[in-house]
Amino acid sequence: MQIAKVRGTVVSTQKDPSLRGVKLLLLQLVDEDGKLLPEYEVAADNVGAGVEEWVLFSRNGAARQVLGNEQRPLDAAVVAIIDTIYVEDRLLYSKKDQI
């Protein structure tokens, strides 16, 4: 799994039929210091994440192991919304501080 910040949504009216009803999010990856990286990923949203939230997402085969995604052509899936991250006893991120 990797950490990312939700930057927006991706809308596509023409897509594989298995993706109908799947919310797609544009994620920006976050490094171990909490800094945004210049790398982006489009991921299926399985947890109802919103813009500006920090999330955990899985890639490749792990993304297709999420219930309901087994037959979808996905490379990434959001699997959790992050509440807090601690690194070496220091708070790196807290969702409540972002509100």
Side-chain angles (χ1 to χ4, degrees), residues 46-72:
N46 293 304
V47 296
V51 175
E52 300 299 313
E53 288 188 294
W54 284 32
V55 296
L56 287 176
F57 74 100
S58 293
R59 286 183 167 162
N60 303 317
R64 287 183 295 280
Q65 291 185 13
V66 175
L67 186 61
N69 286 351
E70 302 89 352
Q71 300 303 316
R72 292 184 176 142

Side-chain angles (χ1 to χ4, degrees), residues 12-14 17-18 29 40-41 43 45 48-49 52 56 63 70 75 78:
S12 176
T13 55
Q14 299 296 319
S18 68
L29 278 61
Y40 293 83
E41 182 87 38
D45 179 21
E52 300 299 313
L56 287 176
E70 302 89 352
D75 285 331
V78 175

Side-chain angles (χ1 to χ4, degrees), residues 35-99:
K35 294 181 181 151
L36 295 172
L37 297 170
E39 297 176 49
Y40 293 83
E41 182 87 38
V42 175
D45 179 21
N46 293 304
V47 296
V51 175
E52 300 299 313
E53 288 188 294
W54 284 32
V55 296
L56 287 176
F57 74 100
S58 293
R59 286 183 167 162
N60 303 317
R64 287 183 295 280
Q65 291 185 13
V66 175
L67 186 61
N69 286 351
E70 302 89 352
Q71 300 303 316
R72 292 184 176 142
L74 296 175
D75 285 331
V78 175
V79 296
I81 299 170
I82 297 171
D83 294 316
T84 57
I85 299 174
Y86 286 90
V87 177
E88 297 178 357
D89 293 330
R90 73 176 172 92
L91 181 64
L92 181 68
Y93 169 80
S94 173
K95 182 176 178 177
K96 70 178 181 177
D97 293 342
Q98 305 302 310
I99 299 174

